[in-house]
Amino acid sequence: MTISKDKLKLSTNISKNVIINFTKNDVLKTKRQIRATEYYGMQETFDQLYKDSKSGKKYTKIMEIISSKDNILLAYRNLKNNKGGQTPGVDGKTIDFLEDLSSDEIVAMIQSKLMNYNPKPVKRVYIPKANGKMRPLGIPCIEDRLVQQCVKQVLEPICEAKFHPQSYGFRPQRQAHHAISEFMRNANRAGNHYVVDIDIKGFFDNVNHSKLLKQLWSLGIQDKNLLCVIKKCLLAPIEEKGSNGEIVRIYPTKGTPQGGILSPLLANVVLNELDWWISDQWETYETVKDYTLVNPNGTINRSNKFRALKKSNLKEGFLIRYADDFKICCKTKEDAEKWFFATTQWLKERLQLDYAPDKSKITNLKTSSSEFLGFRFKLKRKGTKWVINSHMTNKAKEHMIKDIKEQIKKIQKNTTVKNVTILNAKILGRHNYYKIATHINIDMNDIHYRLTKSLHNRLGKKGKKIRKTGNKAQKYKFSYNETYNKFYGDYNYKPTIVCNIPIFPIGGIKHQSGKGFSQIITPYTEEGREKIHSNLECVEPWQLNYIIEHPIENMSVEYNDNRISLFTAQWGACGLTGYPLNVGEMECHHIIPKSTGGGDKFSNLILLSKESHKLIHATKKDTIEKYLNICLHRMDMCCNKNTKKFFDKLNILRKEVGNQPILIT
């Protein structure tokens, strides 16, 4: 449809700003994660649980919180955003089974299940490990996963208040990089040149259930109904295919199944006792005299205390743990030997866990290397000092080479945009993880050299080489791939172009210093969230509350939940004009109509003002002119001059619903 400019009251004062909801994609994923608890009004509850746990409160009636409507809907939201939601259990159901249910139906189902909880069997599958062995995973049914998510949400703030600060695995806002940075800091600054490595033999398969329940009780979780639910989760039968193809059912007496939502949290509960036992031998040892000082930045200075402790017979040691991988850093070989013997004995006597002799050792970093989370560390002399050097482990290098070779073969057999994109994702993912290694450029260049032949032989004929011209600082000009320019444009490589996509250079990486973890950061205090929310914009809480409290009747829980996500993702603005939405009047539009196969997925929805929504569906010329003028006026009010993007997006949306594009003459 063509409309004359004379018929439109086009504004002449539309600013250069682009439409809001498509300008901050890099930030939105993080934002959605850290605001998740705020969507259903659970943040205040979790904050109180954390605060009370810090003060030593005992919880005897928390099943009421776990089975509350808001907690169940929040659990559904978190489960839906989990990739594992599409993995079926023994009943063959995935998250899709829940998507067609209403909010009230999901709440009623889970509340009924919790009244007399009996989990279905767990499906056992095996996935390959980096060393060539297979790792067993236990996949609960989707309903049981939802129950576990409900429990986890309430237990986590209670446990977080009691967990040791140097534990980094499976905890909110903490990463492997934080553990690695802490280890390197100890080796560089504190002179802890001896490292105790203890590998727990089959940790997840050998957790003692009785001991675990007692540890939960000691943390203040003393609701017997809840402990009964957790015990039943642990004792759920496991089903797997036997050698003859028949289904075999196993009834576990110990262990926490890897793959269960609760398992990582319960694993930290088990090892938290070990953390504090090690810490209390030196780092947090209570002295008669208070030596503690507070630095200007608020951190604790224990240097005076440690100088005083050195005069005692205590063994000096500092713990760093990530999941079941942990290290104890010591200054002397004598202390390291004491730690090794004491820790292995304590594990056996207190937790009924054994260690693997072939993987457990004491390392002098001056003469040998130590491995941790895919990194290899060794001290090198630099002048009068010893400095920690880090590389990828040989296993990590070989695994990366194997993984990339397999993906190259897939591209050779089936040359598609998807397969090329997967290859780039694998390369970029490795770069992002290993970039904090001090000598990562050497490792990646070696990998690049070893893969050159495979890239040339298998993709040489499928792609083309682009040579750089001009000086080395000049970037390749790939108008169709801004990602390459952003990450690798300054490197002097000749990229291979396949399906109009430049393959990322494996050797294109530089070392970046790792950042330590601020112990202030936690999602369960206002101060902690301020750290997390820094530089992130947020919509008003009352707006979110309104959307939550006013779901669209007769629509699926997925649809109503995605309305919440869209409102925050679009920064509370219309997805077409960028004009702030009135939460009581906004409308959620299916980009591909449900009548033609479109569903309630996040990617198929967009929040619009009523006027923008009517403009998309309008067919009469007078109606189009009316709402087009309104939309352009609103763009003017929010200083948005990008009319080209507006019309491009408008016409794409109109085309999907079967309407003609709007052309201005």
Side-chain angles (χ1 to χ4, degrees):
M1 179 172 291
T2 304
I3 296 180
S4 172
K5 285 184 180 180
D6 297 335
K7 297 243 181 178
L8 293 172
K9 301 174 184 177
L10 293 174
S11 174
T12 58
N13 187 32
I14 303 178
S15 104
K16 61 183 178 180
N17 295 343
V18 297
I19 298 174
I20 295 175
N21 65 313
F22 290 101
T23 60
K24 303 172 181 177
N25 291 335
D26 293 338
V27 178
L28 293 178
K29 183 181 287 187
T30 304
K31 180 185 172 185
R32 285 196 292 270
Q33 290 173 347
I34 65 178
R35 290 188 61 99
T37 55
E38 301 174 11
Y39 290 145
Y40 291 100
M42 293 299 295
Q43 188 65 68
E44 186 176 346
T45 301
F46 295 157
D47 287 358
Q48 193 62 46
L49 289 171
Y50 181 86
K51 182 180 178 181
D52 291 342
S53 183
K54 278 283 189 183
S55 63
K57 181 179 176 178
K58 310 300 181 185
Y59 300 90
T60 58
K61 293 183 179 180
I62 50 176
M63 280 298 291
E64 296 176 5
I65 302 173
I66 291 171
S67 60
S68 67
K69 179 180 179 179
D70 290 341
N71 189 56
I72 293 171
L73 291 177
L74 176 61
Y76 166 76
R77 174 182 184 81
N78 289 327
L79 187 63
K80 183 188 68 173
N81 293 333
N82 192 320
K83 293 181 181 178
Q86 293 298 330
T87 306
V90 295
D91 58 359
K93 297 178 181 177
T94 67
I95 191 68
D96 296 337
F97 166 72
L98 301 174
E99 289 177 353
D100 294 329
L101 301 177
S102 68
S103 301
D104 291 339
E105 288 173 328
I106 287 179
V107 171
M109 178 183 69
I110 299 303
Q111 288 177 342
S112 176
K113 206 170 175 66
L114 284 170
M115 289 178 66
N116 186 21
Y117 186 60
N118 285 298
K120 294 179 180 178
V122 174
K123 179 182 178 181
R124 174 164 286 177
V125 297
Y126 293 88
I127 60 171
K129 297 169 67 175
N131 59 7
K133 297 181 180 179
M134 302 300 287
R135 184 190 305 276
L137 294 183
I139 312 298
C141 294
I142 194 67
E143 296 169 37
D144 293 321
R145 269 178 276 175
L146 187 53
V147 168
Q148 289 191 28
Q149 182 64 39
C150 290
V151 174
K152 175 183 177 290
Q153 289 170 177
V154 176
L155 287 190
E156 190 171 71
I158 299 172
C159 295
E160 276 293 311
K162 302 289 181 64
F163 283 162
H164 193 276
Q166 299 306 331
S167 159
Y168 295 97
F170 307 127
R171 296 181 62 185
Q173 307 302 320
R174 298 179 182 233
Q175 309 170 1
H177 282 187
H178 296 138
I180 294 163
S181 296
E182 181 64 20
F183 173 74
M184 294 176 71
R185 185 189 69 82
N186 267 295
N188 271 333
R189 299 180 187 177
N192 298 309
H193 299 163
Y194 285 88
V195 180
V196 178
D197 289 304
I198 298 174
D199 185 271
I200 302 174
K201 186 187 294 183
F203 170 68
F204 285 92
D205 296 329
N206 291 290
V207 169
N208 184 285
H209 292 172
S210 298
K211 180 64 180 177
L212 170 57
L213 294 173
K214 290 177 182 177
Q215 289 171 318
L216 287 168
W217 186 275
S218 66
L219 290 176
I221 302 163
Q222 299 180 2
D223 188 323
K224 294 182 180 180
N225 291 330
L226 173 59
L227 294 176
C228 184
V229 169
I230 294 172
K231 185 177 181 179
K232 287 183 177 180
C233 288
L234 295 170
L235 295 176
I238 300 169
E239 288 189 358
E240 64 177 329
K241 286 186 178 180
S243 56
N244 57 358
E246 295 182 356
I247 300 297
V248 178
R249 181 170 288 191
I250 303 167
Y251 294 89
T253 58
K254 59 182 180 179
T256 59
Q258 296 183 71
I261 291 174
L262 266 178
S263 292
L265 177 63
L266 297 179
N268 275 330
V269 170
V270 173
L271 293 176
N272 185 57
E273 189 177 353
L274 171 69
D275 297 341
W276 284 108
W277 176 79
I278 293 173
S279 180
D280 289 342
Q281 306 300 305
W282 180 262
E283 195 172 1
T284 54
Y285 183 86
E286 292 188 9
T287 57
V288 176
K289 182 180 177 180
D290 187 11
Y291 294 94
T292 304
L293 298 175
V294 180
N295 295 321
N297 61 357
T299 58
I300 303 297
N301 187 337
R302 296 188 176 94
S303 56
N304 290 343
K305 174 185 174 181
F306 294 151
R307 277 193 288 268
L309 290 177
K310 287 178 181 180
K311 299 177 182 179
S312 69
N313 293 323
L314 296 173
K315 49 187 182 294
E316 184 173 354
F318 297 88
L319 169 76
I320 305 99
R321 181 173 68 82
Y322 188 92
D324 59 334
D325 292 331
F326 67 95
K327 291 181 175 291
I328 304 172
C329 299
C330 316
K331 275 190 168 61
T332 67
K333 184 179 180 181
E334 183 184 5
D335 281 348
E337 289 173 343
K338 290 179 179 178
W339 274 116
F340 188 94
F341 177 78
T343 306
T344 53
Q345 288 296 112
W346 193 93
L347 281 169
K348 190 173 183 178
E349 294 173 5
R350 291 284 299 180
L351 303 182
Q352 290 83 54
L353 295 171
D354 205 355
Y355 74 101
D358 57 326
K359 298 180 181 179
S360 304
K361 59 183 179 179
I362 297 171
T363 304
N364 182 356
L365 291 176
K366 291 181 179 179
T367 59
S368 304
S369 59
S370 178
E371 297 182 355
F372 187 42
L373 301 176
F375 291 76
R376 176 167 52 86
F377 305 92
K378 193 175 186 297
L379 285 165
K380 296 287 185 181
R381 185 178 286 280
K382 189 175 182 180
T384 59
K385 297 181 178 180
W386 289 89
V387 180
I388 196 78
N389 285 354
S390 52
H391 291 263
M392 293 176 69
T393 63
N394 291 331
K395 285 184 180 179
K397 288 172 68 174
E398 295 301 324
H399 185 259
M400 180 177 176
I401 291 170
K402 181 183 177 183
D403 195 23
I404 290 179
K405 276 187 176 180
E406 289 177 353
Q407 190 59 36
I408 290 172
K409 290 178 183 177
K410 289 181 181 179
I411 296 173
Q412 185 186 24
K413 293 179 181 178
N414 186 19
T415 310
T416 63
V417 171
K418 181 181 179 181
N419 280 335
V420 179
T421 304
I422 291 173
L423 175 60
N424 279 343
K426 289 178 181 290
I427 295 170
L428 185 60
R430 263 36 177 243
H431 285 178
N432 286 335
Y433 183 73
Y434 289 106
K435 64 185 178 183
I436 64 171
T438 56
H439 291 66
I440 187 59
N441 58 322
I442 297 174
D443 298 328
M444 287 296 175
N445 278 316
D446 178 49
I447 295 171
H448 185 98
Y449 175 76
R450 293 169 65 182
L451 287 169
T452 299
K453 187 175 180 180
S454 181
L455 282 164
H456 179 267
N457 291 344
R458 296 186 180 276
L459 301 184
K461 294 181 180 180
K462 294 187 176 289
K464 58 181 179 178
K465 292 281 188 179
I466 302 293
R467 294 182 177 272
K468 182 178 281 190
T469 59
N471 60 55
K472 292 185 178 182
Q474 183 180 349
K475 294 183 178 181
Y476 292 99
K477 302 301 180 182
F478 299 124
S479 60
Y480 45 81
N481 198 313
E482 295 180 1
T483 305
Y484 187 97
N485 288 335
K486 179 181 178 182
F487 291 105
Y488 304 104
D490 289 327
Y491 292 94
N492 193 26
Y493 284 94
K494 304 172 189 176
T496 299
I497 311 296
V498 181
C499 296
N500 284 339
I501 299 174
I503 294 176
F504 295 168
I506 298 170
I509 187 172
K510 293 179 182 177
H511 164 68
Q512 294 183 22
S513 299
K515 296 181 180 179
F517 182 79
S518 172
Q519 298 296 334
I520 298 173
I521 294 176
T522 176
Y524 305 118
T525 66
E526 288 188 10
E527 186 183 15
R529 286 194 296 276
E530 282 181 12
K531 280 276 189 181
I532 300 171
H533 283 268
S534 59
N535 301 322
L536 295 181
E537 299 178 29
C538 299
V539 298
E540 291 293 330
W542 72 266
Q543 296 175 310
L544 280 177
N545 291 337
Y546 184 93
I547 299 170
I548 295 165
E549 294 170 2
H550 295 81
I552 306 300
E553 295 183 0
N554 302 320
M555 298 299 289
S556 69
V557 63
E558 183 185 28
Y559 175 89
N560 281 304
D561 191 75
N562 281 333
R563 286 172 68 243
I564 305 169
S565 298
L566 283 165
F567 189 74
T568 57
Q570 295 178 192
W571 305 91
C574 173
L576 190 59
T577 65
Y579 187 77
L581 288 166
N582 185 335
V583 293
E585 298 178 357
M586 66 183 182
E587 296 180 353
C588 192
H589 171 70
H590 287 84
I591 299 172
I592 301 174
K594 297 188 76 173
S595 59
T596 58
D600 295 335
K601 299 287 186 185
F602 179 89
S603 58
N604 193 48
L605 300 175
I606 183 172
L607 280 181
L608 303 166
S609 66
K610 283 186 177 181
E611 291 76 14
S612 295
H613 198 190
K614 288 179 180 180
L615 179 60
I616 292 169
H617 290 282
T619 56
K620 295 181 179 179
K621 191 173 182 179
D622 292 344
T623 306
I624 292 173
E625 290 177 0
K626 174 184 174 182
Y627 291 113
L628 188 56
N629 275 312
I630 293 174
C631 289
L632 291 171
H633 176 66
R634 288 181 171 178
M635 289 177 65
D636 181 32
M637 291 178 67
C638 61
C639 300
N640 187 352
K641 284 185 178 179
N642 206 326
T643 54
K644 184 180 183 305
K645 283 194 174 183
F646 167 79
F647 279 103
D648 288 346
K649 191 172 181 181
L650 171 63
N651 288 328
I652 289 172
L653 294 172
R654 283 180 61 84
K655 181 181 178 181
E656 292 291 351
V657 299
N659 288 336
Q660 294 179 352
I662 299 173
L663 304 175
I664 305 297
T665 60

